[in-house]
Every structure is written in C-alpha cells, then in structure tokens.
C-alpha cells in the first residue's frame, strides 16, 4: 500500500473519526471476525458471571437470562419487544468484543488494532450486529450496510489480519 495515497482523516484530541467522511464499517466487521476467530477456543471467563454493572444486567435481560424489574409504564413496551424475539442464534457463544465500533484502529501497512476490550459471552454475530446498529443509529450509515455486512459478505482477508 502506498502510504502517500492514503486519505488522512483529521482528528482533534478527544474526538472520534468522522465515520461519514471515511466509513470503515466493513473493515471493522472484518477485524472483529478475525479477532473472534482468535478467541474461538478461549474458555468462558468466570468473571463474566460476577459482573453486576448496568451493561451486564442489560445484556442478561436482552438475552432473557434474567427478568427485568420494570416500572409499570415500561412493562407494555418491554412485552412488545419480547414478542419480537426470534429463535436463539444457531452460532455458538464464545468470548467476543461487545463494543468494536470505536475500538478498532487502522494504520497504513499494519493489521487493525482492536482496543478497549469489552468482553461478553455471545455468538460472534452479536458483536457484528452491534457495529452495524451503531453505524446506522449513531453514524448515519446507509441501510445498504445491512446487506454489505451480512454473514458471508465481508471476506476475512479484508481486515489484513492473518487467519489463525
């Protein structure tokens, strides 16, 4: 790769890259896939079950591993959301990074760097769905990303990471 031809995305200290100016969503998904392949055989860490923070509680409620203690005004909307649940994913759960969106760094000529590990025990597709959801909701990505980031559409090689 010719470093002189790489587009520079200006950053100010303490700010995120402008994802609309230089979208890298498929690269983030591909880097996550490579990262998760490397973690595929790691046993479930015991500390995950001891977590009691809001993120851990929300994760367990979302995956129906525990009930939600809801105020009366939220019981109806919660029941509507639960009714939308489909069958559980067929993909096996493993250790995944649950917040890849802003935590994959790219530099010319180097493999992507996955930082600020947010561990979850979920199917790898969960981590990809978080990236796509973040891109759509928070960063103005187009709906075409849903198809482009589908399970078989992002080649593992696009992350420039060696397969294990």
């Amino acid at each position: 790769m010719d470093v002189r031809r790489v587009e520079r995305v200006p950053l100010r200290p303490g700010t995120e890259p402008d994802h609309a100016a230089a979208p890298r969503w498929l690269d983030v998904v591909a880097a996550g896939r490579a990262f998760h392949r490397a973690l595929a055989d790691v046993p479930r860490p015991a500390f995950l079950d001891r977590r009691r923070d809001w993120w851990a509680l929300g994760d367990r409620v979302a995956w129906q591993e525990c009930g939600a203690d809801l105020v009366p005004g939220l019981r109806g909307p919660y029941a509507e959301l639960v009714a939308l649940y489909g069958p559980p994913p067929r993909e096996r759960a493993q250790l995944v990074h649950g917040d890849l969106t802003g935590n994959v760094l790219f530099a010319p000529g180097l493999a992507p760097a996955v930082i600020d590990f947010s561990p979850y025990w979920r199917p790898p597709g969960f981590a990809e769905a978080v990236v796509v959801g973040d891109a759509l909701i928070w960063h103005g990505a187009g709906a075409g990303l849903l198809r482009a980031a589908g399970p078989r559409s992002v080649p593992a090689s696009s992350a420039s990471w060696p397969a294990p």
Side-chain angles (χ1 to χ4, degrees):
M1 172 183 277
D2 184 353
V3 175
R4 292 168 294 179
R5 295 182 49 176
V6 173
E7 179 182 342
R8 300 280 187 230
V9 178
L11 288 178
R12 291 187 327 269
T15 64
E16 286 193 38
D18 180 356
H19 294 290
R24 304 276 318 244
W25 301 119
L26 298 180
D27 295 328
V28 171
V29 169
R33 287 180 182 169
F35 184 73
H36 295 133
R37 278 194 311 275
L39 294 176
D41 296 323
V42 173
R44 182 185 174 105
F47 74 84
L48 290 176
D49 296 324
R50 293 190 301 266
R51 289 182 54 205
R52 299 288 179 251
D53 57 89
W54 289 105
W55 292 107
L57 177 60
D59 174 68
R60 290 183 191 117
V61 169
W63 286 84
Q64 297 185 309
E65 294 172 352
C66 71
D69 185 18
L70 300 169
V71 295
L74 293 180
R75 289 183 185 141
Y78 177 75
E80 290 176 31
L81 285 173
V82 169
L84 295 174
Y85 281 15
R90 290 186 299 245
E91 199 177 17
R92 80 172 181 88
Q94 67 166 70
L95 189 61
V96 299
H97 191 313
D99 189 24
L100 288 164
T101 300
N103 293 309
V104 179
L105 305 179
F106 298 96
L110 299 174
V114 176
I115 63 169
D116 198 16
F117 186 43
S118 298
Y120 287 85
W121 191 260
R122 298 289 170 226
F126 162 75
E128 296 172 24
V130 171
V131 171
V132 172
D134 283 348
L136 294 169
I137 295 166
W138 302 112
H139 299 286
L145 180 61
L146 289 169
R147 186 178 338 280
R152 291 175 180 45
S153 58
V154 179
S157 62
S158 68
S160 303
W161 245 13

